[in-house]
Amino acid sequence: MDRKEKARANGPIPNAVVYHDSPESNLSLLHLQASRLTRRCAITTAMAAILAPLVFGEMAQ
């Protein structure tokens, strides 16, 4: 039996086996962009948070 056929025969993966990311590990887009600016430009985190949408051209939600 081919591997794909064997996987189809077993059915979908149950939710108990799939691990979901915890909310603590998911950082916001603004936080990631600000930390990148802080490292690259040697500015404070507050200043980087203000400049991040302007520099990266995206609005963090």
Side-chain angles (χ1 to χ4, degrees):
M1 186 182 270
D2 189 20
R3 250 197 278 184
K4 290 181 181 178
E5 292 174 7
K6 194 173 188 180
R8 284 189 205 120
N10 291 337
I13 300 172
N15 286 338
V17 177
V18 178
Y19 297 105
H20 300 284
D21 292 336
S22 63
E24 298 87 32
S25 66
N26 295 337
L27 299 174
S28 71
L29 178 61
L30 180 63
H31 185 269
L32 293 173
Q33 291 172 344
S35 64
R36 177 180 280 181
L37 282 175
T38 303
R39 282 179 287 166
R40 289 188 178 191
C41 302
I43 58 176
T44 63
T45 305
M47 177 78 71
I50 294 168
L51 293 176
L54 299 171
V55 172
F56 292 102
E58 299 174 352
M59 289 302 297
Q61 295 180 357

